[in-house]
Structures are given as C-alpha cells and as structure tokens.
Amino acid sequence: MSLCFSEELDLGFEQEHNPTTAVAWTAEDSQAGLQNFCDFLPLLDPSSEDGLLDMSLVSADQLPAADASRRREAMAPAERKEHSRLIQKRYRQRQKARSHTVESQLAQTTAELASLKERQQQLEHSQRQLQQRNVLLERMAKLKNQSSIELSQPAQNVNAKLQTALQADVEQALVGVTSSSDRGQVLTLTVDEIRHVLTVEEIGQVSMSDCCEMYTMYARKLGECLLCLSDDEEDHETAAADLHRWIVELTSLGACIPYGHPHLLKAIQSGSLDRSQAPVQQLSDMFYADVLSAVNLSEAQVDDLLHLRQCFWGKIGQLERSHQQIISRLSSGTAGSSHVSDKLAEVTSLTEQLRANGSEEYRTHMQLASAMFRGILTSKQLAVQVVHAYPWLLYKPRFLDVLAASRGELTAQALKESAGLDDLQLAANWQEIEQYPTCFTAQDLQRRVPLLSTA
C-alpha cells in the first residue's frame, strides 16, 4: 500500500532532519510522493484564503493522514472494525508488556528485600555474639584478678541426723562422678593445676574462703573455655572437653557443700563470691532475665523447668502447712497433759517433727538444684550461667519464677496453695523429681536429660 500525501511529507521531513532514517528513503518513494502531490494539485481552491482543499471534491481514499477522524468516518464498517481490532490488539500487547515489566521489577525488589533481611539477621546474630564475647572478656578480666587458693582445715561437721538424711541425695547426684577408694567415695578437684583426690566429707567441710576461691577459679576456667568455643580458629573439641571436666568438678563441689556444711551454703548464697558486701537479695528480676537470655533455653528445657517449678512449690507448700500444724500443736497440744513427763515427751516428739520438717525442706532445695544443673541444663549452658552470674550464686527458685513470669505461669504462692492438687498428688509429683537423678551419668552433663519423658 502506498503512502498518502501527508505521510510522505512527514516522512520526508523526518529523513531530512534525522540522518539515521534517511537510508530508508528510495527513489521509488520519491516518485510516489510526487505523484500524489500532482493528484491533489487540481483540488486546491484558489479562492480560499488559507488554500485548503475543497472537501466536497475529495474522495474518502484521498483524505490526508493528518485528518484521522474524518478518514475513519469515511471507512467502510468492516474496515473500521478491523482497524479497531488492530488498535485494541496493540493496546493489549503494550499492557501485557508493561505488566511483565512491573512483575519482573516486583520480583527483583522482593528478592533484594529478602536478601537485605537475611543480611540484617546475620548482622544481628554477629552483634549478639560480639556482645556475649565482650561480656565474657569483662568477666574474665575480673576473674583473673582473684588470688590463688590454699585449702584450709575442714570446718565442723553438720548435724548428724541431717547429714544422714542428705547422704542418699548426694550419692544420687554424684553417680558416675565419684570412685571407690579405701577412704570411701572420692572425687577429684583441680586446684591451681594440682589434682586433689578428696572424699565427699572432706569437700563438704571446706571453709567459706576456700569455697569462694574455688568457685572463682572454676568460673575463670569456664570463661576461658567459652571464649575458645566462640573463636572459629580455636580447637573446639579440646575446649569442649575441658569445659565438661570443669563443670563436673564444679557441680560436684556444689553437691558436696550442702551435704557437709549447710551454714556455708547460706553464707555464699547471701553474699557475693568476690567478697563484696552486697546481699544477693538485691539482685533484680532483670539480672535473672539477662542470665536466662544468655543461657538460651530450648522450648523442651523450658517445659522441663516449669514442670520442676510446679512440683517444687507444691512440695514447699505442703511442708509449710505441715510446719504450721506442728507449731499449732506445740503451742496448745500440751495443755491437757496431766504430768510433766508427758509434756516433755510430747514436746520432744513435736520438736523432732519440726527438725525433720526443716531437713526435708532443705533437701527439697538441694534436689531442685540437682535436677536443674545436673539434668535439664547442658554443660555449656551451666558454664554460661556460672560466668554470666558471677560473682553471685543464682537462687534457683527465683530463677524459675522469673522464667515462669515471662511465660504467664501461676505465681509461687498459687502453686504453694496446691493449685487444685491434694497432698497425695503433690507427694507423688515430688517423688518423680527425687527419682530423676537416678537417670544421670557423668556423660549426661553434656546434654539435656528430659524430665517430662521420665516423669
């Protein structure tokens, strides 16, 4: 189809001013354009002021391309329909191409956003690791200032009856750790790189000064192991083995001291291990929350600890109610006795019941610590807890209460009031905790021993 006159003029103008398109203009095109001009020349109206064509003399197929609307009106219906179809087709093609472009840009932007989020998470993880390493370095700097240790003479023995009551608990707690000798059950503590083989009774009678210094020494060793484990260039296998060794010795020390020296346990739990005077009761919930964050418990461990807490406070509530009943009987039960010897016998009996009640509560706290630190937590988590909490010993019930508060659990007081359970069920629940340490071995300190699956 040949170009109409106006299209030829436009094309000629474009080629004249755009050298890149001039190569497409041929002699044949020039001849066709000249012929169209000659065809339109007789149609010019000389009398018209603007020299426009007399439209009445122009046929539909002679209309200039510039007058597109009139040309469409002059088209036949079939031609107009085809023309509209072609226009719509080109429009759809342009819309489809534009849609593909937008989708491609959206996919690219989404991928870039996901990449940035992943990078942000990596940076946040690296930042947390650096913060933990900085905390460890600060702790280590403080620990290295502590003095060396010289073991002093044993302290006085604990009450014989309480010691007997605790003996079975200590034996269970130290399963796989102690070894037999002609002196009885012994275990090894490494003090200033010197290995000391001591009996359980000897370890349980160390002085306050020795206990604090030994704990500080182990905290320093554990901090060094944690630093090695956080360094990609270090020998992780050796550091992990050393960490496990120090944790076994430290937890053994912790199990023996309550057995032989309850008053020492109270002393070190009431003050700091670096000899400062601030009482441990002043530690805030935020302190415990920070330690919990550093320990990084799994959900299974959280479930175990919450179950342990429920059983513990149920047992403590049961003992407190029994204590109140004995006190009530002690204050009023002897009034009806007819003879002084009867009163003496009854008071002696009630006093022994109070002593047994107090010993049972003490054992309950020791069993709680054993379940937490020798079963539920791993050796690395124990090391993190020791180093981050230094110079304090964590008060285990409060540690659990802060964890429970973060999960919206019942308060300790509500659990002590039995939380809908009778004394028989409470006793059965705590018996499961008492049996839990029988599942331990020395190797289990490196991993979690599930509590709920054994309960």
Side-chain angles (χ1 to χ4, degrees):
M1 180 183 293
S2 61
L3 299 172
C4 64
F5 175 62
S6 62
E7 290 173 331
E8 291 166 354
L9 291 179
D10 291 340
L11 183 58
F13 179 84
E14 179 184 357
Q15 291 170 336
E16 179 180 355
H17 291 81
N18 189 353
T20 61
T21 60
V23 294
W25 184 262
T26 64
E28 183 180 356
D29 295 327
S30 301
Q31 183 64 30
L34 179 61
Q35 181 63 41
N36 281 344
F37 178 78
C38 294
D39 291 340
F40 276 94
L41 189 60
L43 302 177
L44 296 175
D45 185 4
S47 62
S48 175
E49 294 181 356
D50 53 5
L52 296 176
L53 297 175
D54 184 358
M55 299 308 297
S56 63
L57 302 176
V58 182
S59 61
D61 57 352
Q62 293 175 312
L63 286 173
D67 197 356
S69 61
R70 294 188 179 183
R71 184 176 65 178
R72 285 194 297 270
E73 293 176 0
M75 289 180 181
E79 188 177 359
R80 277 202 306 273
K81 184 176 180 181
E82 179 66 16
H83 183 71
S84 298
R85 188 187 68 79
L86 292 175
I87 291 175
Q88 293 172 5
K89 181 180 179 180
R90 287 195 295 270
Y91 174 77
R92 287 193 299 271
Q93 290 174 342
R94 289 194 300 271
Q95 288 293 98
K96 186 176 181 181
R98 188 178 296 111
S99 177
H100 285 323
T101 301
V102 172
E103 290 176 357
S104 177
Q105 292 175 346
L106 178 60
Q108 181 180 0
T109 303
T110 302
E112 291 175 352
L113 180 60
S115 177
L116 289 173
K117 287 183 177 179
E118 182 179 0
R119 178 59 177 165
Q120 182 184 13
Q121 291 174 351
Q122 292 175 350
L123 291 174
E124 290 176 350
H125 179 69
S126 299
Q127 183 181 17
R128 286 194 297 270
Q129 287 184 324
L130 288 174
Q131 289 175 345
Q132 292 175 358
R133 185 175 177 82
N134 288 337
V135 171
L136 283 174
L137 290 172
E138 292 175 0
R139 300 289 186 185
M140 290 303 301
K142 187 173 184 178
L143 287 166
K144 287 179 179 179
N145 293 329
Q146 304 299 320
S147 59
S148 60
I149 304 169
E150 294 181 3
L151 292 177
S152 60
Q153 295 297 319
Q156 70 279 8
N157 285 331
V158 71
N159 177 272
K161 290 187 177 180
L162 177 57
Q163 189 177 33
T164 301
L166 292 169
Q167 184 173 359
D169 299 332
V170 175
E171 290 176 355
Q172 284 188 341
L174 298 179
V175 169
V177 178
T178 58
S179 57
S180 299
S181 73
D182 55 356
R183 294 187 294 158
Q185 293 295 311
V186 297
L187 51 86
T188 301
L189 298 181
T190 306
V191 180
D192 289 337
E193 308 307 324
I194 301 174
R195 297 169 67 86
H196 297 267
V197 180
L198 304 170
T199 66
V200 173
E201 291 78 7
E202 290 171 342
I203 296 174
Q205 295 174 9
V206 298
S207 67
M208 174 69 177
S209 175
D210 288 342
C211 181
C212 292
E213 291 177 355
M214 291 174 70
Y215 190 94
T216 298
M217 176 201 68
Y218 282 114
R220 180 169 60 247
K221 290 178 178 292
L222 292 172
E224 292 170 351
C225 292
L226 290 173
L227 285 174
C228 291
L229 291 174
S230 67
D231 192 339
D232 294 336
E233 299 179 359
E234 294 289 342
D235 184 358
H236 287 192
E237 185 175 350
T238 301
D242 289 341
L243 183 144
H244 174 63
R245 174 187 170 188
W246 306 138
I247 279 295
V248 169
E249 293 189 12
L250 179 58
T251 54
S252 300
L253 174 66
C256 293
I257 288 176
Y259 166 68
H261 204 333
H263 300 293
L264 174 59
L265 179 65
K266 177 183 177 181
I268 62 177
Q269 285 185 340
S270 300
S272 68
L273 296 167
D274 62 355
R275 312 296 181 83
S276 67
Q277 300 301 314
V280 71
Q281 287 80 1
Q282 290 183 356
L283 298 177
S284 65
D285 288 350
M286 183 60 67
F287 170 83
Y288 284 90
D290 289 342
V291 175
L292 277 168
S293 177
V295 171
N296 192 23
L297 298 168
S298 68
E299 284 301 315
Q301 288 175 314
V302 170
D303 291 341
D304 281 349
L305 290 173
L306 292 178
H307 177 69
L308 176 64
R309 172 180 177 267
Q310 181 180 4
C311 295
F312 169 77
W313 283 124
K315 175 67 172 179
I316 293 298
Q318 190 178 31
L319 290 172
E320 288 181 355
R321 289 191 293 274
S322 176
H323 180 85
Q324 291 297 326
Q325 292 171 1
I326 297 172
I327 293 296
S328 177
R329 289 173 57 192
L330 188 61
S331 61
S332 61
T334 60
S337 299
S338 58
H339 195 275
V340 64
S341 61
D342 294 333
K343 292 182 180 181
L344 177 61
E346 187 169 0
V347 168
T348 302
S349 174
L350 292 174
T351 302
E352 288 300 319
Q353 291 179 40
L354 279 176
R355 184 189 297 275
N357 182 277
S359 297
E360 184 66 18
E361 184 172 353
Y362 182 79
R363 291 182 60 216
T364 300
H365 279 266
M366 297 306 101
Q367 290 164 345
L368 170 71
S370 178
M372 284 180 61
F373 295 150
R374 295 188 66 86
I376 297 176
L377 301 182
T378 66
S379 57
K380 184 177 180 180
Q381 288 173 322
L382 285 171
V384 170
Q385 174 261 310
V386 169
V387 174
H388 280 263
Y390 187 86
W392 309 105
L393 281 180
L394 292 181
Y395 183 55
K396 286 75 175 179
R398 191 172 178 192
F399 180 84
L400 294 178
D401 286 345
V402 172
L403 172 62
S406 69
R407 298 301 180 107
E409 297 289 326
L410 292 175
T411 64
Q413 185 60 37
L415 293 175
K416 286 196 292 185
E417 293 171 357
S418 78
L421 301 177
D422 57 26
D423 286 349
L424 184 62
Q425 183 60 53
L426 292 173
N429 288 346
W430 190 250
Q431 187 176 14
E432 294 170 352
I433 305 303
E434 290 179 329
Q435 295 300 315
Y436 178 52
T438 61
C439 303
F440 302 164
T441 65
Q443 289 71 31
D444 286 333
L445 276 174
Q446 300 186 65
R447 56 184 181 268
R448 164 184 169 255
V449 179
L451 171 61
L452 289 176
S453 63
T454 62

